[in-house]
Amino acid sequence: MTGASPRASPSPVAGLAQTAGHGASGHPPWASPAPGEVLLEARNIGKRFGGVQALKDVSLTIRHGEIYGLIGPNGAGKTTLFNVFTGLYPRDGGMVLFCGAPLNMASPHMVSAAGIARTFQNIRLFGNMTARENVMVGRHVRTHAGVIKAMLRTPGERAEEAAIRRRADELLHYVGIADRADDLARHLSYGDQRRLEIARALATEPKLLALDEPAAGMNATETAALRGLIEGVRNDGLTVLLIEHDVKLVMGLCDRVAVLDYGEKIAEDVPDVVRADPKVIEAYLGAGTG
């Protein structure tokens, strides 16, 4: 990790869970649930690819203010469910409620505008743009200036662009890579690229931050720093959905964990209960895990 500690100054993400969804997308404000209340509820989600039933009546609840883990063996349906939640895949059955209302998952940008932001298992940054510019791109989902104002460079558009830049710098500092703001994304270390993805996701002002295997490819030091960042995000009021193959990280970090196997949910509970579940041991963890 490079740059200043993300805990060194007042958090730029504190309170985002109460304000997300108020941007220029035209979506109405979403009422933010109180800590412990259900933020996202999936009911009987189904997804089929040709003759393969990738998800079978998957139901789960994610509570406001928690870190929720989603694990399972390869091919269990974790990323498929993740992609349904974030609008990349249309569901074939069931429904998703977000803040107590049906979630419009017609497209990823509509899901983002509603207050769900994600990172990807395979890093998807703009390699020839700077770290700051990458975060600024994420911020544009909450801006007001349109194409005409941008072309005319009106005073309002210039002021908004300056605010976007300041916000990007705040978020780069928050994730600990402020000193790399002017570096091209492709020149950042692997760990810093992961942090940059999180900063870009936070720029959308989410209520739910969905992380798809953020520790993949990290060494022990980078993973420990990532854990601290995720805990800090939760402590600042955001809810986190975490898909991760690092079982030790999930069990030590998450408040509750769901386990998928062959597209079905076989467990959902606190880590100690999930770890001891015979179905989970058989499907994924192995008898020697603990």
Side-chain angles (χ1 to χ4, degrees), residues 2-3 130-132 172 176-185 187-189 192 196:
T2 61
T130 67
R132 179 187 292 111
L172 289 172
I177 56 172
D179 60 337
R180 308 301 303 273
D182 294 314
D183 293 346
L184 296 181
H187 291 161
L188 301 183
S189 69
D192 284 351
L196 178 55

Side-chain angles (χ1 to χ4, degrees), residues 42-49 52-59 80-81 84-85 89-96 105 263:
R43 297 180 180 175
N44 305 116
I45 298 298
K47 180 62 183 175
R48 178 181 292 274
F49 296 101
V52 177
Q53 188 71 46
L55 296 173
K56 306 174 186 177
D57 297 322
V58 176
S59 297
T80 298
L81 183 60
V84 168
F85 286 163
Y89 291 165
R91 66 192 185 282
D92 295 327
M95 67 181 303
V96 177
M105 298 184 291

Side-chain angles (χ1 to χ4, degrees), residues 36-203:
E37 293 185 356
V38 174
L39 176 66
L40 183 145
E41 179 181 2
R43 297 180 180 175
N44 305 116
I45 298 298
K47 180 62 183 175
R48 178 181 292 274
F49 296 101
V52 177
Q53 188 71 46
L55 296 173
K56 306 174 186 177
D57 297 322
V58 176
S59 297
L60 55 81
T61 58
I62 300 175
R63 299 168 186 159
H64 176 62
E66 73 177 349
I67 302 175
Y68 186 97
L70 185 63
I71 64 173
N74 288 333
K78 304 181 300 296
T79 297
T80 298
L81 183 60
F82 208 77
N83 287 339
V84 168
F85 286 163
T86 54
L88 284 178
Y89 291 165
R91 66 192 185 282
D92 295 327
M95 67 181 303
V96 177
L97 302 178
F98 190 61
C99 298
L103 178 64
N104 187 338
M105 298 184 291
S107 66
H109 82 270
M110 297 182 76
V111 173
S112 177
I116 300 176
R118 71 167 295 174
T119 64
F120 290 86
Q121 180 178 348
N122 299 315
I123 294 174
R124 298 187 183 183
L125 296 170
F126 298 104
N128 290 322
M129 295 172 63
T130 67
R132 179 187 292 111
E133 289 168 342
N134 269 273
V135 180
M136 291 175 70
V137 167
R139 183 63 187 162
H140 278 286
V141 74
R142 299 293 176 204
T143 57
H144 298 272
V147 175
I148 300 300
K149 288 184 178 179
M151 292 176 60
L152 297 177
R153 297 291 293 168
T154 65
E157 190 276 339
R158 291 197 300 271
E160 187 172 65
E161 195 72 12
I164 293 170
R165 183 185 180 92
R166 288 193 300 271
R167 184 62 170 168
D169 286 342
E170 290 172 355
L171 290 169
L172 289 172
H173 176 78
Y174 182 81
V175 302
I177 56 172
D179 60 337
R180 308 301 303 273
D182 294 314
D183 293 346
L184 296 181
R186 60 188 173 89
H187 291 161
L188 301 183
S189 69
Y190 185 84
D192 284 351
Q193 288 185 10
R194 287 289 185 187
R195 289 176 168 269
L196 178 55
E197 272 209 317
I198 293 174
R200 185 174 63 182
L202 291 172

